[in-house]
Amino acid sequence: MRSQITPKPRRLALSALVLGLASTTLTGCFLLEGPTPETPTREAPAAPEVAPEFVPGGTAEENLPYFTEVLRDYAAGDGAVQGQPIVDAVAGAGFDRAAMQVSFDESKTGLPADNIFVSVRIGADCLVGQIVAADRSFAAENEPALGPNGDICLIGSTRAIDW
């Protein structure tokens, strides 16, 4: 007659496996607990006392105050937080549409974008702006262009500006 009792080493290995899986699962539960991170508040750049003006042929640094005001005006309005109207507003303010990049209006899963990034390359620098859909806050910065040719302002895939 054959014994139905599992050999001791096999039983120990099975117990160790179950114990290991249980401890991994429980450890994962402990990692989920804890303080919730806080989203930092972003303060909009202070409005200038004197309205900045576009500097045709100027550098990105010289045009940053004007670019910032274009984004401030757009964010304060009721236009859609989508690429085309934002690009149109920036181009309408005098910036070169051919030197712009813009992010997509939707995620790859079809959800509306949380924010839109727009940029204008001026020489070796970029004016980079962001408008957040939820609260219409905005940010604008002057950053160096990127890429092997120094001609990219927004990293990753961007929407074609073909309108």
Side-chain angles (χ1 to χ4, degrees), residues 11-93:
R11 198 174 339 165
L12 286 174
L14 183 60
S15 295
L17 177 65
V18 169
L19 184 60
L21 288 174
S23 67
T24 303
T25 303
L26 292 175
T27 301
C29 292
F30 290 119
L31 292 175
L32 296 176
E33 295 178 12
T36 304
E38 293 182 28
T39 304
T41 56
R42 180 189 309 181
E43 294 183 25
E49 292 180 22
V50 177
E53 294 183 11
F54 181 63
V55 181
T59 66
E61 184 178 349
E62 291 171 329
N63 279 301
L64 178 60
Y66 183 68
F67 180 74
T68 301
E69 286 309 299
V70 170
L71 293 181
R72 181 190 316 279
D73 290 346
Y74 190 88
D78 58 1
V81 180
Q82 294 179 334
Q84 184 171 350
I86 294 172
V87 166
D88 289 346
V90 174

Side-chain angles (χ1 to χ4, degrees), residues 3 12 17 23 34 61 64 73 77 93-94 96-97 100 103 134 138-139 145-146 148 151 156:
S3 171
L12 286 174
L17 177 65
S23 67
E61 184 178 349
L64 178 60
D73 290 346
D96 182 8
R97 182 184 306 264
M100 291 185 198
S103 59
F138 74 98
L146 304 169
D151 60 351

